[in-house]
Amino acid sequence: MYNPFLRNPHKFSELPFAPKDTANEELLEKTINDIGYTLYDVEYAKEGQNYFLRIFIDKDGGIDLNDCEKVNNVITDILDEADPIKEQYFLEVSSPGIERVIRKEKHLKENVGNEIEVSLFTAIDGKKQLVGILQNYDNENINIIVDEKEIIIPRKSISLMKTVYNWE
């Protein structure tokens, strides 16, 4: 049965903190920028038996369904032409959301001074989840302020980082 949303996956970084943009990501980034959007992130994941290529886009004023459709229509041909991987995948184009996953150096740089949530593989001071202000970071650690106390967190112990939206 033909499924128009099923495509061949393209390998992008699956690491919690992606290395430099891949050639494919750069290709998509230029195209997406040219039509007025910012490429926030690319995620290639396997969930159950299915593979997903998720493209997260942004623009001033936010993203709506029409924006996702426009980007999808533009990048589909590029992905089909490049076709470096033969497994099938589902292509998803969406906003990164209001509370955004922090995976890349550019995400860390954008969020210095902002409140973030850090989930850990192993507890620090008895906690596996910390919320604090991102002070700085380097290749080995991130530093956050939690309750006026600086906490240095080894990057290898972080399972997830995301921005925090104040709902008040």
Side-chain angles (χ1 to χ4, degrees), residues 88-153:
Q88 294 180 328
Y89 69 88
F90 291 94
L91 176 62
E92 297 178 353
V93 178
S94 70
S95 161
I98 200 159
E99 291 188 336
R100 298 167 180 217
V101 173
I102 300 171
R103 291 187 342 127
K104 299 181 177 187
E105 296 299 316
K106 70 179 183 177
H107 301 155
L108 285 165
K109 185 176 181 180
E110 292 167 357
N111 284 289
V112 170
N114 294 332
E115 190 172 37
I116 66 169
E117 180 179 316
V118 181
S119 298
L120 305 167
F121 291 117
T122 56
I124 293 178
D125 294 335
K127 296 180 182 178
K128 288 186 79 173
Q129 201 164 42
L130 301 168
V131 176
I133 305 298
L134 177 62
Q135 287 301 110
N136 56 50
Y137 62 92
D138 59 30
N139 291 335
E140 302 294 321
N141 302 299
I142 68 158
N143 299 27
I144 63 172
I145 302 294
V146 177
D147 298 327
E148 299 181 15
K149 177 183 173 189
E150 182 175 26
I151 299 176
I152 299 170
I153 305 169

Side-chain angles (χ1 to χ4, degrees), residues 2-64:
Y2 175 72
N3 183 336
F5 299 106
L6 198 56
R7 302 222 171 276
N8 292 338
H10 302 262
K11 289 279 185 184
F12 289 91
S13 175
E14 299 176 59
L15 301 174
F17 304 100
K20 299 276 185 197
D21 293 334
T22 64
N24 288 326
E25 192 170 349
E26 289 172 358
L27 173 68
L28 289 178
E29 186 168 34
K30 179 181 179 348
T31 301
I32 289 169
N33 289 344
D34 287 348
I35 59 172
Y37 300 93
T38 302
L39 178 61
Y40 182 80
D41 203 359
V42 175
E43 177 185 75
Y44 179 71
K46 183 174 183 183
E47 294 178 8
Q49 294 182 347
N50 297 314
Y51 291 91
F52 293 86
L53 177 60
R54 295 185 175 109
I55 311 297
F56 298 97
I57 59 171
D58 201 12
K59 72 172 184 176
D60 290 339
I63 297 296
D64 63 24

